Amino acid sequence: MRIDVLTLFPEMFASPLGFSIVKRAQQRGSVNIVLSNIRDFAKDSYKKVDDKPYGGGAGMVLMCQPVFDCLESVQKQDSQPGRVILLTPQGKKFDQPLAKELAAEERLILIAGHYEGFDERIRLGTGALEVSIGDYVLSGGELPAMVIIDAVVRLLPDALGDEDSAANDSFSDGLLEYPQYTRPEEFKGMKVPPVLLSGNHKEIENWRKQQALEKTKKQRPDLLK
Ligand code: 6GU
């Protein structure tokens, strides 16, 4: 898979992309992540990419021209046009089913804005899917882009060491994940549930299912509806 990110702050991505699963997936060639700086496509000598909103109001708005030129430039770099995604708090809420849908694409192009927002014609003219990561406002689309990259890349074949570990994740079956324990058997008086030490795989599976259900009922009853 190829993931392009169009951003004004490519440097922000170095750390989240440089560790753990996402780093390994890039090293293995499961994903090629390409960062492009929208500001490189500014036309004037001040490298201006934003301007005051028509109609007045606070803040600055990301201009059409640098974004469209940047998008056109990255689209030319590959035969796949790619699924274009615009990160905005007004978008469709990102969740595990959407992560799975995006993980099946050959190419994603994520556009991260900053400032008060995008010129509306960026959405209209690119046909992008608007995506939000939750009901709160962040100062830009960079962190949401990193969240989406992480959630998608760990679903790619070969990204996780253990084939099963994504299948057991929270939300993958609509429930939260069951509790996990590792050594020692007792810590500060807290014991590992005996069923997990029993070696009875059927009983362990039943216990986990029941725990996942109870946890979901308590923490996220909305998921059971
Ligand atoms: Cl995608 N962008 C911004 N700026 N804030 C957000 C968001 C995106 N998702 C949740 N909050």
Side-chain angles (χ1 to χ4, degrees):
M1 169 184 248
R2 171 170 170 153
I3 303 179
D4 287 275
V5 185
L6 279 54
T7 170
L8 292 165
F9 301 101
E11 299 85 356
M12 283 179 72
F13 290 80
S15 179
L17 302 185
F19 292 91
S20 184
I21 289 167
V22 179
K23 178 185 183 180
R24 210 171 56 219
Q26 292 176 92
Q27 287 171 338
R28 284 186 183 164
S30 307
V31 66
N32 177 22
I33 301 172
V34 182
L35 302 168
S36 298
N37 193 335
I38 296 169
R39 199 174 297 279
D40 292 344
F41 296 84
K43 290 271 194 225
D44 70 345
S45 52
Y46 300 103
K47 296 275 170 203
K48 190 177 170 64
V49 292
D50 59 329
D51 210 336
K52 290 174 288 194
Y54 278 121
M60 298 293 269
V61 175
L62 193 55
M63 292 156 61
C64 288
Q65 173 270 318
V67 176
F68 276 92
D69 286 354
C70 185
L71 179 61
E72 191 183 319
S73 161
V74 302
Q75 280 185 319
K76 271 195 257 172
Q77 292 167 19
D78 199 285
S79 55
Q80 295 279 345
R83 177 105 178 249
V84 183
I85 293 169
L86 204 57
L87 285 322
T88 98
Q90 291 89 38
K92 175 185 162 87
K93 197 172 311 164
F94 187 65
D95 58 10
Q96 196 65 16
L98 184 52
K100 277 188 194 158
E101 190 185 319
L102 298 183
E105 298 279 350
E106 295 283 334
R107 185 182 187 194
L108 298 176
I109 302 181
L110 307 178
I111 308 179
H114 227 82
Y115 315 120
E116 282 308 296
F118 297 97
D119 188 308
E120 182 67 6
R121 291 164 293 187
I122 294 172
R123 184 179 66 76
L124 295 171
T126 59
L129 173 69
E130 291 178 281
V131 175
S132 159
I133 61 163
D135 294 340
Y136 40 81
V137 178
L138 300 167
S139 25
E142 289 79 14
L143 289 168
M146 294 178 217
V147 166
I148 290 171
I149 291 170
D150 191 287
V152 166
V153 166
R154 63 193 299 291
L155 293 175
L156 297 178
D158 305 331
L160 300 183
D162 177 356
E163 284 293 344
D164 277 343
S165 42
N168 291 332
D169 281 347
S170 286
F171 309 111
S172 57
D173 56 0
L175 296 178
L176 301 181
E177 197 182 6
Y178 50 78
Q180 300 272 26
Y181 293 86
T182 187
R183 292 193 293 175
E185 284 184 24
E186 183 173 339
F187 184 77
K188 291 188 189 289
M190 296 176 286
K191 293 197 171 99
V192 174
V195 61
L196 298 179
L197 310 173
S198 68
N200 185 329
H201 297 296
K202 190 73 212 152
E203 271 184 37
I204 292 171
E205 198 189 319
N206 287 339
W207 180 86
R208 286 177 166 167
K209 271 190 195 147
Q210 181 224 327
Q211 290 286 317
L213 199 59
E214 272 177 31
K215 185 109 190 158
T216 310
K217 257 187 218 161
K218 197 166 150 215
Q219 309 267 59
R220 292 292 306 278
D222 57 296
L223 293 177
L224 295 172
K225 284 184 192 123

